[in-house]
Amino acid sequence: MHGKWIRRISLPRELARTALICFPHVGGSATYFAPLAQCIDPAIEPLSVQYPGRQDRRHDEWAGSIDELVDGVLAELPGTVEGRAVALYGHSMGATVAFEVCRRLPEFGVTPQALFLSGRRSPRSVREEHNHTHTEAELATELRRVADTPPTWLADPELRELLLPVVRMDYRAIESYVYTEGRPVECPIVVLTGDDDPYVDVDEAKDWESFTTGDFALHAYQGKHFFMESNLPAVGQLMSETLARLN
């Protein structure tokens, strides 16, 4: 499967009953979730979103807003997952994109099974952030601050020149996002957070409960913003067991 927006990140799982759509963070690409794909049950087909402006989409026009990302995903997602249950997982900026996609999927005849969110505070927990206006040096410092292990590409001047503009555009999209009040989603929301994440505290994570009429669960892991990388087996098991109960 190699659509413009939705990508397969594991070997085909033709008997999978559920498609898990993963939404990357600021500067992230579809391949970021490939390690997670190896930690989830074979009954789940892991797919990932490829935003424009990176990797094989580096020549595509960047999205200037969360709404543009949501519209792009929704133009492709319903046809991709036809006949299977659908769950969504978004990390950081991807959590906001996944949430907004989840809100609109019923318009396309798709009822989401579950919404997993990590590394992002609830839409009503607003902070003033202006990372998109920072210099390249300041952006690099910010990326080091939030990571348990600083990204290796920050040490390569050529890669920094290639990737920091993508990071800046993603920051602009998420920092200009304004939540519009509406009906909560009906599927369960499962929130995952790092206990030392500078972008979200426990209260901001708990507030996601008010955005669903379904069940809610909050799980804290040791680590900063990218805690998932050092907790992959536990995260994969949580997702697998949650979706198994819902099938």
Side-chain angles (χ1 to χ4, degrees), residues 1 22 38 43 107 112 152 155 160 177 212 221 235 247:
M1 180 181 300
C22 302
Q38 306 309 312
E107 301 172 17
T152 55
R160 281 177 53 153
Y177 167 76
T212 179
Y221 297 84
V235 171
N247 271 322

Side-chain angles (χ1 to χ4, degrees), residues 51-209:
Y51 304 137
R54 64 215 72 203
Q55 293 186 336
D56 61 333
R57 296 195 67 190
R58 61 187 178 278
H59 299 303
D60 290 359
E61 185 176 354
W62 293 335
S65 68
I66 296 300
D67 285 344
E68 289 181 42
L69 293 173
V70 171
D71 288 343
V73 172
L74 286 172
E76 189 172 298
L77 178 56
T80 300
V81 300
E82 189 173 1
R84 287 179 291 177
V86 177
L88 310 175
Y89 170 44
H91 178 65
S92 193
M93 178 185 78
T96 300
V97 182
F99 168 67
E100 291 293 350
V101 168
C102 189
R103 293 174 81 187
R104 290 186 55 193
L105 272 177
E107 301 172 17
F108 297 82
V110 178
T111 302
Q113 190 176 51
L115 176 61
F116 298 94
L117 305 170
S118 66
R120 187 66 188 169
R121 54 194 176 269
S122 81
R124 294 194 193 97
S125 301
V126 179
R127 297 187 191 181
E128 287 293 326
E129 294 176 322
H130 305 281
N131 290 303
H132 70 283
T133 66
H134 287 175
T135 65
E136 287 192 357
E138 290 170 334
L139 278 178
T141 297
E142 177 66 12
L143 294 176
R144 293 188 184 98
R145 181 179 78 92
V146 302
D148 289 288
T149 303
T152 55
W153 58 265
L154 288 175
D156 186 319
E158 292 184 1
L159 284 176
R160 281 177 53 153
E161 183 178 353
L162 178 67
L163 296 174
L164 281 178
V166 178
V167 171
R168 184 186 306 280
M169 291 298 295
D170 285 352
Y171 270 130
R172 188 179 77 173
I174 189 59
E175 290 173 354
S176 64
Y177 167 76
V178 177
Y179 169 66
T180 301
E181 291 285 348
R183 293 183 60 185
V185 301
E186 297 181 0
C187 66
I189 290 181
V190 180
V191 173
L192 303 82
T193 188
D195 61 6
D196 193 28
D197 189 337
Y199 284 163
V200 53
D201 62 34
V202 173
D203 287 338
E204 291 170 325
K206 284 181 178 178
D207 193 54
W208 278 107
E209 184 172 9

Side-chain angles (χ1 to χ4, degrees), residues 8 11-17 42-45 84:
R8 177 177 283 128
L11 293 175
R13 303 184 184 186
E14 296 178 358
L15 300 180
R17 300 184 299 273
I44 302 167
E45 171 108 71
R84 287 179 291 177

